[in-house]
Amino acid sequence: AKGYTLSEEEQAEVDTALSSMSTYANLYGYSSASAMLRANYGRGCNESSYREYLKVQQLASSYANKYLNDLDYTKEEIDAYGAEDPTAYNSYSYRYYLLNTSNYYEEGVETPTDEQKAAALTAAENAAKELAESSKGDADKFKAAVDELEAAKKAAQEQANSTEPTGSTEPTEPEEEIDVSLHENVLKSNLVAVLSDWMVEEGRQAGDTTYVAAGNDSGFYVAMYLDSRDNANVETVNVRHILISTGENVTAEDAKKQIEDLKTEFESDPTEEHFAELAQQKSSDPGSSANGGLYENVAPGQMVEAFNDWIFDTSRKAGDVGIVETNYGCHLMYFVGPGEYSFRDSLIVNAKTNADYNAWYTGLTEALTPSRGIGAQLANTGVTLQSQSNASSR
């Protein structure tokens, strides 16, 4: 109806899929792709109907992507959508800790009775109440109390393990100290569900504390609100990268050598287009490789530390290229420039885009009435292929 057709590249993908089908048919001893399709899906299925199926599938997918990518909004529309829930696009910093019921069973209890479970839950609630009330207004005191609880858990675990042979007397490396209760700049959608409404409540003050049941009698959360951030003031950037992941067969040195070689290759044609091509071909980051390694509207703190520090270096300018090493591997970086939106607006655009696309998609699919035409054969639960004779009913 819209006059949308497959591109030459998309048509080539259909041809490639058909060629692969013929290769598999030959591999499994069939005389042709049609013979394999008939054997697996019924007499109504052949290479011709399969080509038609692939074309329809490719066309639908391509048009859906075009519809999604064409969605665009004015600043007024963005602000209006964001106003529907102003708290959804702020970030919140807080401390919280779960006092687990299992930590309050008497020593030696492995299968607690209902009475023991109830007693442990009461003990966990009393401990949660005490922590919330005693640390209110004092984040350092909250942290110290949690650290003490964690140390006690660790000591109990070590004592339990001390009766089991370790198989080694080698000294272990000291563990890096982690502030387990601190959570910074968390979006509302990522807050612990039972704490979310309390955390975003209007008038919430730094140092406020609460405790709430975690559900399923598993214990109680104790939380302390620290502050919130209006993401309308947080600027974003666009960046491309190529990742060579480290793993069993790739050491950090190997990854860096590959990135250095890619940097040399890029410098033969130092354009963003060339970088994007290399990212599509070489990057092992599944989240960006298909898009030329591009991440748009990235806010401070969204990426791992070394990556974040490079892209938000105050001297950074469009076209800068560099090498960054992280726990994921080695990255070749290309700085595109400032993002189109503030962090808040980018969150709103993503939310509105998803909502509008889903409404469009659902409106189309709910209006369809599935049918099984002549020549259609049941292939699997919920899967059918239609013959060419019924193509017009699609």
Side-chain angles (χ1 to χ4, degrees), residues 26-158:
N26 182 63
L27 180 65
Y28 291 111
Y30 292 97
S31 60
S32 66
S34 289
M36 185 171 73
L37 287 164
R38 282 196 300 271
N40 284 275
Y41 299 112
R43 289 177 300 168
C45 298
N46 53 46
E47 189 171 352
S48 177
S49 64
Y50 186 61
R51 175 185 288 275
E52 181 65 19
Y53 162 76
L54 288 177
K55 286 172 62 179
V56 170
Q57 183 189 56
Q58 179 75 284
L59 186 63
S61 176
S62 179
Y63 182 69
N65 285 332
K66 179 185 185 305
Y67 183 90
L68 180 66
N69 292 331
D70 284 350
L71 290 173
D72 194 22
Y73 306 105
T74 65
K75 176 62 175 169
E76 290 73 22
E77 289 173 319
I78 293 171
D79 289 343
Y81 193 82
E84 294 177 12
D85 182 3
T87 64
Y89 309 103
N90 294 335
S91 294
Y92 300 86
S93 294
Y94 57 97
R95 289 185 177 276
Y96 89 100
Y97 189 71
L98 173 63
L99 292 165
N100 201 306
T101 308
S102 62
N103 294 325
Y104 293 89
Y105 294 140
E106 294 181 6
E107 187 175 351
V109 173
E110 294 183 0
T111 306
T113 64
D114 289 344
E115 190 175 14
Q116 288 172 323
K117 289 179 181 179
L121 185 64
T122 298
E125 181 176 10
N126 291 337
K129 181 179 180 180
E130 181 181 353
L131 175 56
E133 292 181 350
S134 65
S135 62
K136 184 175 182 180
D138 191 335
D140 290 338
K141 193 170 184 178
F142 189 104
K143 178 183 183 303
V146 169
D147 288 347
E148 186 175 335
L149 289 167
E150 282 292 290
K153 281 171 55 179
K154 184 178 179 180
Q157 184 63 49
E158 289 176 347

Side-chain angles (χ1 to χ4, degrees), residues 54 76 93 126 152 228 269 279 313 324 342 363 377:
L54 288 177
E76 290 73 22
S93 294
N126 291 337
S228 64
D269 177 18
D313 188 311
V324 169
S342 70
Q377 297 294 323

Side-chain angles (χ1 to χ4, degrees), residues 332-385:
L332 182 61
M333 312 288 293
Y334 183 95
F335 189 74
V336 179
E340 181 180 0
Y341 303 109
S342 70
F343 186 37
R344 178 184 177 82
D345 283 359
S346 73
L347 294 170
I348 295 171
V349 168
N350 286 340
K352 183 166 174 55
T353 297
N354 289 334
D356 289 350
Y357 175 82
N358 288 334
W360 170 78
Y361 182 89
T362 302
L364 289 176
T365 55
E366 285 187 345
L368 298 176
T369 302
S371 64
R372 181 178 178 181
I374 298 172
Q377 297 294 323
L378 184 65
N380 202 340
T381 304
V383 180
T384 61
L385 292 177

Side-chain angles (χ1 to χ4, degrees), residues 83-381:
E84 294 177 12
D85 182 3
T87 64
Y89 309 103
N90 294 335
S91 294
Y92 300 86
S93 294
Y94 57 97
R95 289 185 177 276
Y96 89 100
Y97 189 71
L98 173 63
L99 292 165
N100 201 306
T101 308
S102 62
N103 294 325
Y104 293 89
Y105 294 140
E106 294 181 6
E107 187 175 351
V109 173
E110 294 183 0
T111 306
T113 64
D114 289 344
E115 190 175 14
Q116 288 172 323
K117 289 179 181 179
L121 185 64
T122 298
E125 181 176 10
N126 291 337
K129 181 179 180 180
E130 181 181 353
L131 175 56
E133 292 181 350
S134 65
S135 62
K136 184 175 182 180
D138 191 335
D140 290 338
K141 193 170 184 178
F142 189 104
K143 178 183 183 303
V146 169
D147 288 347
E148 186 175 335
L149 289 167
E150 282 292 290
K153 281 171 55 179
K154 184 178 179 180
Q157 184 63 49
E158 289 176 347
Q159 183 176 358
N161 293 338
S162 65
T163 60
E164 302 175 6
T166 63
S168 173
T169 58
E170 292 291 325
T172 57
E173 291 288 332
E175 294 182 6
E176 181 182 353
E177 185 176 344
I178 300 174
D179 192 344
V180 295
S181 69
L182 180 62
H183 300 266
E184 296 181 295
N185 297 321
V186 180
L187 295 173
K188 180 180 178 180
S189 59
N190 295 327
L191 294 173
V192 176
V194 293
L195 293 172
S196 179
D197 288 344
W198 179 85
M199 200 71 66
V200 305
E201 189 175 285
E202 186 176 356
R204 182 66 56 225
Q205 299 292 317
D208 286 354
T209 59
T210 191
Y211 66 97
V212 295
N216 298 321
D217 291 341
S218 59
F220 284 82
Y221 287 112
V222 186
M224 172 179 284
Y225 176 88
L226 299 178
D227 61 36
S228 64
R229 181 179 75 183
D230 182 353
N231 289 313
N233 301 316
V234 178
E235 296 181 353
T236 63
V237 299
N238 297 337
V239 62
R240 293 184 187 271
H241 84 128
I242 301 171
L243 170 65
I244 301 298
S245 298
T246 50
E248 290 183 4
N249 300 318
V250 182
T251 66
E253 292 76 14
D254 294 335
K256 188 170 184 180
K257 176 62 168 60
Q258 290 183 52
I259 285 295
E260 288 171 344
D261 290 344
L262 284 169
K263 185 172 184 289
T264 300
E265 185 176 352
F266 165 73
E267 288 169 346
S268 67
D269 177 18
T271 62
E272 184 178 349
E273 292 75 16
H274 187 209
F275 192 98
E277 291 173 5
L278 290 173
Q280 288 180 325
Q281 298 166 8
K282 306 292 186 180
S283 182
S284 54
D285 175 19
S288 69
S289 58
N291 198 28
L294 180 63
Y295 281 108
E296 296 181 289
N297 303 306
V298 180
Q302 281 192 292
M303 300 297 188
V304 293
E305 186 175 0
F307 195 113
N308 180 85
D309 290 349
W310 191 89
I311 62 177
F312 287 104
D313 188 311
T314 56
S315 66
R316 193 65 56 226
K317 60 184 184 299
D320 281 357
V321 175
I323 294 176
V324 169
E325 295 180 74
T326 70
N327 290 336
Y328 293 100
C330 196
H331 310 249
L332 182 61
M333 312 288 293
Y334 183 95
F335 189 74
V336 179
E340 181 180 0
Y341 303 109
S342 70
F343 186 37
R344 178 184 177 82
D345 283 359
S346 73
L347 294 170
I348 295 171
V349 168
N350 286 340
K352 183 166 174 55
T353 297
N354 289 334
D356 289 350
Y357 175 82
N358 288 334
W360 170 78
Y361 182 89
T362 302
L364 289 176
T365 55
E366 285 187 345
L368 298 176
T369 302
S371 64
R372 181 178 178 181
I374 298 172
Q377 297 294 323
L378 184 65
N380 202 340
T381 304

